Amino acid sequence: VLDPHEVTLDSFYLQDKELSVADFNLFLRAMDEPELAPNLDYRVNLPDHAAAVSWQEAEAYCVWLGELAEFPLRLPTEAEWEFAARSREFLPPWATNDGSYREGENLRLTDRDQPDKFDPPIGSFPANPMGFHDMAGGLYEWVSDQAPTDPDGVRIYKGGNNLSTIYRGTASGTGS
């Protein structure tokens, strides 16, 4: 475990919601790759839900979108993500609208028997005080950093999730 340390951030922009399946499918079509097909049985790959993507896919999406916008985009750093999740310097226990954990009200349920509340669309819950959605729920979110103690190629993800594995996350593009 690394000790906390002070970090100074330059100005940055952060997308307010996770990358959707619909938006990621636009990228896949542009790359002549097969789209993520919806699976209603498991409620995955629905257009308005978060896209579970690898770090490399998230990074490639940010670069592609930045080229379209003619504005360089990248994954956020870990410090940028933490700043947004913690609502600047506030240290909430949960990155929710008020720092509390209320299943089904400001975070997804852990009860898979209620699929509409277990895996609702992106932005279904109130944003945190800075206006960001799903930072404590949804899918893990990739950041650009690599932990100094990890082997090459191991990447950091942040946030909470109910569905993704340690290999899958989503993109939150950052303007640089």
Side-chain angles (χ1 to χ4, degrees):
V1 175
L2 299 175
D3 291 326
H5 57 281
E6 190 170 315
V7 175
T8 301
L9 297 174
D10 292 327
S11 294
F12 66 96
Y13 299 96
L14 188 66
Q15 184 173 307
D16 67 337
K17 294 181 180 146
E18 295 172 315
L19 171 65
S20 72
V21 169
D23 288 342
F24 191 67
N25 278 341
L26 286 173
F27 165 70
L28 291 174
R29 282 195 299 275
M31 299 294 113
D32 290 324
E33 296 288 334
E35 292 184 26
L36 302 174
N39 183 329
L40 297 178
D41 291 336
Y42 296 101
R43 297 189 54 76
V44 296
N45 295 340
L46 302 179
D48 57 352
H49 286 61
V53 299
S54 69
W55 184 90
Q56 291 82 0
E57 290 168 326
E59 182 69 14
Y61 174 82
C62 289
V63 169
W64 170 78
L65 188 60
E67 289 172 356
L68 284 180
E70 297 180 354
F71 184 79
L73 296 176
R74 60 175 171 74
L75 292 172
T77 66
E78 183 177 15
E80 290 166 343
W81 190 96
E82 287 286 342
F83 182 80
R86 294 171 185 259
S87 300
R88 295 180 177 87
E89 296 178 29
F90 178 58
L91 297 175
W94 294 93
T96 60
N97 58 316
D98 63 4
S100 67
Y101 179 98
R102 293 187 313 278
E103 282 190 9
E105 292 180 43
N106 65 3
L107 283 171
R108 290 171 164 89
L109 290 176
T110 55
D111 180 1
R112 290 184 183 259
D113 293 333
Q114 298 183 48
D116 290 340
K117 287 190 176 179
F118 176 71
D119 186 29
I122 296 168
S124 293
F125 299 107
N128 76 3
M130 284 187 71
F132 300 110
H133 290 267
D134 302 323
M135 296 191 83
L139 298 179
Y140 291 126
E141 295 167 350
W142 293 113
V143 297
S144 60
D145 301 79
Q146 179 175 330
T149 57
D150 287 342
D152 285 343
V154 174
R155 295 296 177 173
I156 298 171
Y157 56 83
K158 303 298 290 184
N161 86 80
N162 292 329
L163 300 173
S164 60
T165 70
I166 60 171
Y167 303 107
R168 308 297 278 183
T170 190
S172 289
T174 300
S176 57

